[in-house]
Amino acid sequence: MIEAKSLTRRYGSLLAVDGISFAVEPGTVLGFLGPNGAGKSTTMKMLTGFLAPTSGTASIHGHDIRSDSLAARRMMGYLPEGAPLYGELTVERFLRFAAETRGFRGDEVSRRVGATVERLSLAEVLGQTIDTLSKGFKRRVGLAQAILHDPPVLILDEPTDGLDPNQKHEVRRLIREMAPDKIIIISTHILEEVDALCTRAMIIARGRLLADDTPAGLLARSRYYQAVTLMLGDLEAAASRLGALPESREVEIRRGRLTVFPSSQGHLFEAITRTIREEGWQIEQIQLEAGRLDEVFRTVTETREVAR
Amino acid sequence: MTNLSVILRRELASYFATPVAYVFIVIYLIMSAAFTFYLGGFYEREIADLEPFFRFHPWLYLFLVPAIGMRLWAEERKSGTVELLLTLPVTPTEAVLGKFLAAWLFIGLALLLTFPIWITVNVLGNPDNGVILAAYLGSWLMAGGFLAISACLSAATRNQVVAFILAVVVCFLFLLSGLPMVLDVFRGWLPQAMVDGIANLSFLVHYGSISRGVIDLRDLLYFGLVIGFWLMANRIVLELKKAD
């Protein structure tokens, strides 16, 4: 498991990461969510041993990142932001280098590289210079380098950033495939990704950990959680009728849609469908909201900012 | 140190995967030949030695070695691969030494490729090959000194041009510190012992004695210390600047 204790990093007078603590168990895909410059990458750089924390520490499967850095690094695969690679090398030469630094020698190097190349479908570009590859392939080479030694911990900084939808899908499939027995930490500012991939999400802004929950838990914080959105002919009439229901707390008309927010009692969706039947309204569309992550994200990151 | 050779081999692979290696070797060979025959008056002297060849090496290295050294860390920092490299299970010492040794071996290779001039002088006359061997050793050691300076300054910036200029300036100071024009500046207000100290920092002085065939342990130690000092500085600078 990974255990971070008050990880803190300062750049001069700027406090990039401010006392972040958390623990992660194997089998978790943890998403770091946050605006740009929130401290997600800095936290990852500290976990992977690139940056020394100003104070606090973390341990990776029992190896302290400060006092036992090499052993901790052996446990991890890391894809830095933007997937930097030695562009002048061929894919094969680069992966062999990665395998050798991971301590593999002789036939084991070829075996590892071969298995990883197959897993990431890199065979067709194996002899190509990395600089000549498309963005999607480069990202896959970066991932290959990170998973080559089958590490128990994977840290991926914006693994799908800048990829087209198909490539994103491909990378997510791969992450999901590896998830069951590993700890995978990804950072992203794409909210849908959290829902699609993560079993746990942490919202980080201004270097602080503001929320730590499952994606469902985060969604439940949304004011839209369990709200019902309708499209029908007479919005005003429907709004006053539905607003009077004991199950509704609030109604809102926006861009030709009526949204009814639930109160703490009863079941709003049932109450609304019952009312629709009673009134005989013609409904063009009705939707039970799952909660909006972008709204939770904004609420969490912005209200805390005001509070400071 | 198990990863030292892994890093060294990767570095060398990069040299030969780009035009860097070929351009450097060709320019080095052409320039050293030009200096030897035109400025050094190799034939006109009618002496069977390689003094005109080795005499210009400090000046050749002054520009060519920083050109090799400037990319060592600045390029890694610019492209972000430094983050990849230093999060692999590699110690900073392995990384610094591996990169340095790769570049040093590469310069050594370029130096070895000047062997036709050694053949030439042996065909034309009867040179003292011991002196020539010592001079080759001295030349390579001096290149190592220049390279260690360049590597350290390369870690200080992510801009290769800045790294190059800084390295040339510092190398120039180390080269000239034994000349009267530099020493005269200090002579007026520093005690003699310190002036001697500055004079002793000069690459020219130490290289000069080795290239005349006098292998003095102190000269070897001098280059060893210069390289060691700048590589340690390299480690520290890298640690301080890698995240910028």
Side-chain angles (χ1 to χ4, degrees):
Chain A
M1 70 184 273
I2 296 183
E3 228 181 332
K5 293 176 208 125
S6 332
L7 269 182
T8 301
R9 172 75 194 192
R10 251 173 214 293
Y11 294 110
S13 61
L14 176 79
L15 195 56
V17 174
D18 185 2
I20 287 185
S21 301
F22 58 88
V24 198
E25 302 287 343
T28 309
V29 179
L30 170 62
F32 281 175
L33 263 177
N36 289 324
K40 305 179 301 266
S41 290
T42 306
T43 307
M44 290 186 152
K45 284 175 185 172
M46 286 193 281
L47 288 176
T48 51
F50 182 63
L51 284 181
T54 309
S55 68
T57 187
S59 69
I60 314 288
H61 285 287
H63 301 286
D64 189 276
I65 55 162
R66 306 185 78 142
S67 57
D68 199 4
S69 171
L70 273 188
R73 277 185 260 161
R74 282 194 190 101
M75 297 275 146
M76 283 183 276
Y78 177 40
L79 177 72
E81 192 175 352
L85 302 163
Y86 291 109
E88 68 276 13
L89 299 181
T90 64
V91 173
E92 186 178 18
R93 182 70 189 79
F94 174 72
L95 291 180
R96 291 188 74 88
F97 163 70
E100 285 170 8
T101 59
R102 295 292 179 184
F104 300 117
R105 293 290 181 270
D107 289 347
E108 186 65 10
V109 173
S110 310
R111 211 185 61 73
R112 288 276 169 175
V113 171
T116 313
V117 161
E118 193 170 328
R119 182 159 201 184
L120 288 166
S121 324
L122 285 169
E124 52 176 309
V125 296
L126 202 55
Q128 265 189 51
T129 309
I130 291 174
D131 270 339
T132 65
L133 299 179
S134 68
K135 207 164 184 177
F137 269 120
K138 280 185 188 162
R139 194 61 52 94
R140 268 194 257 170
V141 175
L143 275 169
Q145 158 279 128
I147 66 172
L148 186 110
H149 52 302
D150 196 22
V153 176
L154 262 180
I155 296 190
L156 311 172
D157 199 348
E158 302 193 348
T160 60
D161 187 50
L163 297 183
D164 70 35
N166 291 338
Q167 294 165 336
K168 278 184 186 167
H169 177 79
E170 185 65 19
V171 170
R172 284 179 197 157
R173 184 187 58 79
L174 196 83
I175 293 173
R176 229 173 280 130
E177 238 173 62
M178 292 184 297
D181 55 338
K182 289 188 198 305
I183 295 177
I184 301 179
I185 302 183
I186 65 168
S187 76
T188 180
H189 44 242
I190 310 168
L191 297 165
E192 44 167 311
E193 198 150 281
V194 175
D195 217 13
L197 264 183
C198 302
T199 57
R200 183 174 160 192
M202 300 201 320
I203 297 181
I204 300 175
R206 300 195 157 199
R208 293 198 180 184
L209 183 54
L210 299 181
D212 180 357
D213 211 330
T214 59
L218 283 181
L219 285 172
R221 298 182 186 202
S222 167
R223 87 186 248 270
Y224 287 93
Y225 179 63
Q226 302 277 305
V228 178
T229 300
L230 303 120
M231 271 177 82
L232 72 169
D234 191 352
L235 284 175
E236 296 294 337
S240 58
R241 175 75 177 86
L242 294 174
L245 290 171
E247 288 86 351
S248 98
R249 171 170 49 91
E250 205 186 329
V251 292
E252 184 183 88
I253 296 174
R254 240 176 143 178
R255 292 197 212 114
R257 287 156 190 266
L258 168 66
T259 303
V260 186
F261 297 94
S263 67
S264 50
Q265 44 182 305
H267 199 283
L268 181 65
F269 192 75
E270 267 176 34
I272 290 179
T273 46
R274 200 172 53 237
T275 314
I276 292 170
R277 269 197 306 276
E278 286 167 15
E279 300 285 333
W281 288 336
Q282 286 297 308
I283 303 295
E284 292 164 34
Q285 212 181 78
I286 180 164
Q287 185 189 351
L288 176 65
E289 299 266 356
R292 294 183 189 172
L293 215 44
D294 58 340
E295 186 243 349
V296 176
F297 180 77
R298 261 200 315 277
T299 316
V300 170
T301 52
E302 277 169 7
T303 52
R304 302 297 173 99
E305 259 172 52
V306 175
R308 284 157 71 96
Chain B
M1 286 290 148
T2 50
N3 277 332
L4 182 72
S5 74
V6 177
I7 291 174
L8 194 153
R9 278 181 286 122
R10 193 213 65 74
E11 281 286 315
L12 281 177
S14 278
Y15 286 124
F16 290 97
T18 56
V20 171
Y22 306 103
V23 170
F24 180 87
I25 288 176
V26 168
I27 297 286
Y28 176 78
L29 294 179
I30 291 174
M31 298 276 284
S32 64
F35 280 149
T36 309
F37 291 104
Y38 293 105
L39 294 177
F42 179 70
Y43 289 125
E44 292 80 357
R45 291 168 78 242
E46 297 190 338
I47 303 172
D49 69 5
L50 285 182
E51 196 274 335
F53 170 66
F54 286 111
R55 193 198 314 156
F56 296 100
H57 277 197
W59 307 102
L60 205 53
Y61 288 153
L62 179 59
F63 292 98
L64 287 182
V65 174
I68 285 292
M70 68 181 186
R71 50 170 292 286
L72 283 186
W73 293 104
E75 192 180 36
E76 294 246 6
R77 283 186 52 197
K78 179 125 191 163
S79 68
T81 46
V82 66
E83 195 170 339
L84 189 75
L85 179 65
L86 296 180
T87 52
L88 289 168
V90 168
T91 63
T93 310
E94 284 170 342
V96 167
L97 269 182
K99 278 176 154 293
F100 170 79
L101 286 178
W104 201 21
L105 284 177
F106 172 69
I107 294 171
L109 173 72
L111 189 59
L112 281 182
L113 289 178
T114 60
F115 71 91
I117 197 144
W118 172 73
I119 294 176
T120 307
V121 79
N122 270 283
V123 168
L124 294 176
N126 226 343
D128 182 342
N129 281 319
V131 172
I132 291 176
L133 191 67
Y136 265 110
L137 176 71
S139 174
W140 190 54
L141 281 172
M142 180 174 59
F146 281 131
L147 184 64
I149 291 171
S150 309
C152 174
L153 294 170
S154 166
T157 171
R158 51 172 65 208
N159 185 320
Q160 294 195 35
V161 176
V162 173
F164 175 77
I165 292 170
L166 284 177
V168 170
V169 169
V170 175
C171 290
F172 192 57
L173 290 176
F174 264 82
L175 200 54
L176 288 191
S177 71
L179 295 189
M181 62 181 245
V182 175
L183 294 180
D184 285 346
V185 176
F186 295 105
R187 201 158 269 144
W189 50 282
L190 276 183
Q192 186 58 38
M194 291 189 77
V195 175
D196 288 346
I198 293 169
N200 269 315
L201 280 181
S202 169
F203 278 23
L204 277 180
V205 173
H206 295 275
Y207 170 63
S209 58
I210 300 179
S211 66
R212 280 190 300 275
V214 188
I215 297 188
D216 186 330
L217 193 61
R218 278 172 300 180
D219 294 322
L220 301 183
L221 197 65
Y222 166 77
F223 283 115
L225 285 175
V226 166
I227 292 171
F229 170 82
W230 283 97
L231 289 184
M232 265 175 14
N234 186 352
R235 250 206 74 169
I236 294 165
V237 171
L238 182 65
E239 193 58 44
L240 292 175
K241 301 288 284 184
K242 66 185 180 187
D244 291 4

